[in-house]
Amino acid sequence: MSEALMDPVGIAKFNLEFYRDNRKRTRIKGQVQADLVLECQRCLGAMIFPVKAELDLAVIQVPEEAESLPESCDPVWVEEETLRLLDLVEDELILAIPQVPRHEPDACGVASVNPVNGETADQEQEDDASDKPNPFAVLAGFKSDK
């Protein structure tokens, strides 16, 4: 997971409850919290991404068992008799990381530029407010010529 982080040092807090449900399945419920330092893909600067993930897991030993789980419950496939809590917490943190981490537009030091027309988001909003001629108006003339 450290390759996804700008700063791999930090504190993750977790609270996990282990129990057996009415079908005798091992269940894990709890929360994982951390402030991850990610690289903003807009300005390439550091950004703090707070994570607070809720867990509702069922330990399964064969993949077919996952089909009979309630929809609110995620499977954790355990081939051996042990489950490493560090791996479980790390997996939840990885799942919480956005695919493209970015600051909020007003918090980022770089203006976002539209790759199609090269305008910033502010310029696009100003242009939308103005009365520009419709570029497809020419096509309307072709339609009426028939």
Side-chain angles (χ1 to χ4, degrees), residues 59-75:
V59 178
I60 62 170
Q61 294 183 333
V62 291
E64 291 77 26
E65 289 180 68
E67 297 169 9
S68 65
L69 296 176
E71 232 177 89
S72 63
C73 183
D74 292 322

Side-chain angles (χ1 to χ4, degrees), residues 36-141:
L36 304 178
V37 181
L38 305 176
E39 182 178 42
C40 172
Q41 296 302 298
R42 186 179 293 130
C43 70
L44 302 180
M47 64 175 276
I48 305 295
F49 185 77
V51 172
K52 185 173 185 179
E54 297 289 325
L55 306 170
D56 186 1
L57 308 170
V59 178
I60 62 170
Q61 294 183 333
V62 291
E64 291 77 26
E65 289 180 68
E67 297 169 9
S68 65
L69 296 176
E71 232 177 89
S72 63
C73 183
D74 292 322
V76 174
W77 185 19
V78 178
E79 293 180 78
E80 302 166 7
E81 292 296 316
T82 60
L83 175 66
R84 291 191 50 195
L85 291 181
L86 175 64
D87 293 340
L88 185 71
V89 170
E90 186 176 75
D91 287 349
E92 288 303 316
L93 292 173
I94 289 171
L95 289 171
I97 295 174
Q99 189 172 10
V100 182
R102 288 182 287 201
H103 288 111
E104 293 298 321
D106 57 338
C108 197
V110 175
S112 60
V113 176
N114 184 331
V116 175
N117 60 15
E119 294 180 338
T120 65
D122 292 339
Q123 289 172 328
E124 286 179 26
Q125 289 175 355
E126 289 173 14
D127 289 345
D128 289 342
S130 67
D131 292 297
K132 291 195 308 188
N134 185 342
F136 298 106
V138 175
L139 297 176

